[in-house]
Amino acid sequence: MLITPAYAQAAGAGDTNSMLMSLLPFALIFVIMYFLILRPQQKKVKDHAELVKNIRRGDTVVTSGGLVGKVTKVVDDDQIEFEISDGVRVRQMRSMISGVRAKGEPAKDSAKESAKDDAGAK
């Protein structure tokens, strides 16, 4: 079996350009996945963290389990207490809140409120 010089030269030579072209589709797939999957997911996580951080008393929230209630107390950085029915209060982890339906009014200072009531009555 004789191997001609043309076959011997083609088999031994590794072209860097062909190697780059074979890796290009993988790089392109990674870039497409980043922009279509990873980036929107990171934005969604960031928005949810902001939503959870800004929950305050009086907001109407929806939990990931489907309960809808009005926030009565912000216990700490991890928990809130909300009322799902008259007299039925539930403690929930903040991270399990899936959305805020209606924003409540900010809590009023009791001293300012009583002063306004006294001034309005006179």
Side-chain angles (χ1 to χ4, degrees):
M1 268 196 167
L2 286 170
I3 299 176
T4 63
Y7 286 127
Q9 287 176 358
D15 191 12
T16 59
N17 198 15
S18 68
M19 187 173 140
L20 180 67
M21 290 308 253
S22 67
L23 293 178
L24 186 65
F26 293 112
L28 191 60
I29 288 171
F30 180 75
V31 168
I32 290 171
M33 282 183 55
Y34 176 76
F35 282 108
L36 292 179
I37 297 171
L38 296 175
R39 223 169 139 225
Q41 184 65 26
Q42 289 173 346
K43 185 177 186 298
K44 188 175 181 180
V45 167
K46 183 180 170 185
D47 290 344
H48 182 261
E50 186 71 24
L51 173 103
V52 167
K53 188 177 86 174
N54 291 328
I55 292 176
R56 60 182 183 210
R57 193 174 85 215
D59 292 351
T60 302
V61 295
V62 179
T63 66
S64 59
L67 293 175
V68 178
K70 192 169 195 171
V71 177
T72 57
K73 181 180 175 184
V74 176
V75 179
D76 57 14
D77 290 341
D78 294 333
Q79 294 182 4
I80 62 167
E81 184 176 286
F82 63 98
E83 191 171 51
I84 56 176
S85 182
D86 293 332
V88 180
R89 292 188 178 179
V90 179
R91 275 195 178 185
Q92 180 81 30
M93 298 299 290
R94 279 185 183 236
S95 60
M96 298 303 290
I97 300 297
S98 63
V100 176
R101 281 192 158 184
K103 286 290 204 179
E105 293 185 22
K108 295 178 183 176
D109 190 12
S110 60
K112 288 181 182 178
E113 188 175 311
S114 61
K116 287 181 182 178
D117 292 340
D118 292 341
K122 291 182 183 179

